[in-house]
Amino acid sequence: MSIHLGPVDYLVIVSYLCATMVIGLWVGSYVRSGSDFFLAGRSLPWWAIGMSLVATDIGGTDLVGVGGDTYRYGLVMGNFEWIGCVPAMLVAGFVFIPHLWRCNVTTIPEYLERRFSSSLRTVVAACWLLLMACNLGVMLLASAKFMHTLAQWDMSVSIVVTALLVGIYTWSGGLRAVVFTDVLQGVVMIAGCLMVLVLGIYEMGGFEPFVDKVHDAVHARRQREKESRPLEEFAENGGIERTRESRSDRKSNHFSLVQPVDSPSPGPWPAILFGLALVVSPGYWIGNQSIVQRSLGAKSEYEAKASYVYGALLKTLIPFMVAIPGLIALVKFPELGHGEADRALPMLVGYLLGEGWRGLFVAAFLAALMSSVDSYLNSATTIYVNDFYRKFYRPHADEGLLLAIGRWTTIGFVLWAVYFAFQLMVVPAGLYTIFQTMMSFIVGPTLGVILLGMLSSRNNAEGALIGFIGGVFTSIGLFLLNQDFVADWLNIEPLFRIGQAYLYYSIWAFIATILLAWLFSYFGKPDAPEKRRYSISEWKPFEEAAP
Amino acid sequence: MTFLHWIGETIREQLLHIPMWVARWLFIGLLLVLMGWVVQLPVAAVTPPGRRSQWYEDLRIWAWLALMFQIVIYSVF
């Protein structure tokens, strides 16, 4: 089932797109230099950055995917926005982001060169550039698939039009355009989702009846599964479902954020607490250039901190808007199986919303998509220009040249993203999954070297480089050992019991990075004082450091 | 079973022994520790520099509020 869009819906969607373009191009008219393009001239206010952080973090596919996963597994998906964001954002906002802002860097790899070495900068930049370039294509394709399901839009047209629109305003205004269009996109996204939430809860007769109906729907689904499957299959899931079945109060785990170790959901509690809250989330909010870059463009250190705190407050609301509709859909459409759960949200929207309002929801989806694509586009450009072009080719390039190169590179990445999205349409689904898992390969090692660099002056450049490379290989190795075809080839069981084990890859990659870096640093020479002064404990502003 | 499987299985079995209420308190405990840390941050690190700040410009209040919401959420769900 797809959403039927009428003329009023299209009017709403076109109005939103026009508003986005007007804001992006208007802001872009003030861009005069490379510094304006990459860091918005360090003039961004906290409220715009905070909203932009949240809008960037929620992609179009997340909006529909989280609804689908909540339909399948319950409110546990809210962990990815709550404990999977808020603690890390606050620690990042008070400790790490201000230090990066004080160091006056444009990219995370640039900081790693100042603190450690040029080699580490290049390796980290190459890994993130590869990830971002691939992600651009993945996001365009995934969103085009959703738009096809949602509104029967042609996938090829969706890919080209989205890339073109995002490309134009990012080309024009760089980071400033990205952040201010994100503000509009964030408002539209929140309004669209809030509308579905409020109408859905009203339809259920209030919150308490809604909770009871969810428990009943899960109970009924379990009964159906029990009748259609032999008992042995329940035991294969660690007996989780049998245990729940024996409960007499008919309450399900669908409202529980803390799930058992062997839960079939993507969020058993050790993975959420140790993998998500302590590794992936800090790595994402401290080490992901597309997130951190906007705070580096804040007008002051205080505004950089305030943006993260404001973002953390906004994050508290997000699961209510993106996850709860999945539970409402579970009550309204209990017949969907696990395989069709991603249809839950589009079906709910089609059922709840009238003409015009459906257009607002589609606009919210487009807003979520565009706010993520523009950030990755701008950050990929920033890394390429600063960490490769300027570093290796034109170290003394003036601001005008950097602006021109930045804009040309943006065009290059737009073309690449469209090409890659079309290529992904014809590759096997397994390869597509690999690209979606790539973040988990580098986020743990990136966090490891940043923490070691900022919190300790004893770790040296060789240790950090070996630690980072070792961490990346650890996560890739674990990923491979968890694939069925590799396990069959080696005649072993897949390494992890849960299907989506990317949180576990990140934990072990982080641990490997820390151990290797510490070991090689312990037996090696300490870095020179001009490197060590970029750690937080030995930080000296430039004027103090000068002889 | 490889060495890696053995490590994973050992950790998994140990984690299985942890009751769910303890797991929930680990989540809440993490948030409580952060609340304590936020409260003790120096005033200079959480207010705009170079001028007398208003009460609402103290970032500790908003960080504390965000963590309070989290504690309520993890206590209820």
Side-chain angles (χ1 to χ4, degrees), chain B residues 12-42:
Chain B
R12 177 178 159 273
E13 282 177 9
Q14 295 304 312
L15 290 170
L16 278 171
H17 286 117
I18 298 175
M20 289 305 291
W21 66 267
V22 175
R24 184 176 296 276
W25 271 103
L26 285 174
F27 280 68
I28 295 172
L30 172 70
L31 297 165
L32 286 171
V33 168
L34 274 177
M35 277 179 113
W37 174 73
V38 166
V39 167
Q40 61 79 50
L41 286 170

Side-chain angles (χ1 to χ4, degrees), chain A residues 442-508:
Chain A
I442 57 174
V443 76
T446 305
L447 176 67
V449 290
I450 292 174
L451 290 189
L452 290 171
M454 286 197 188
L455 300 181
S456 163
S457 55
R458 179 63 187 85
N459 291 285
N460 66 20
E462 290 76 21
L465 181 63
I466 292 168
F468 181 82
I469 294 171
V472 172
F473 276 102
T474 300
S475 52
I476 293 174
L478 293 176
F479 169 79
L480 290 174
L481 287 172
N482 204 41
Q483 301 307 301
D484 287 335
F485 73 95
V486 176
D488 288 344
W489 182 56
L490 295 173
N491 202 22
I492 58 173
E493 288 288 311
L495 210 50
F496 296 95
R497 285 177 177 242
I498 59 173
Q500 300 173 42
Y502 57 90
L503 293 175
Y504 289 128
Y505 310 149
S506 300
I507 300 176
W508 290 109

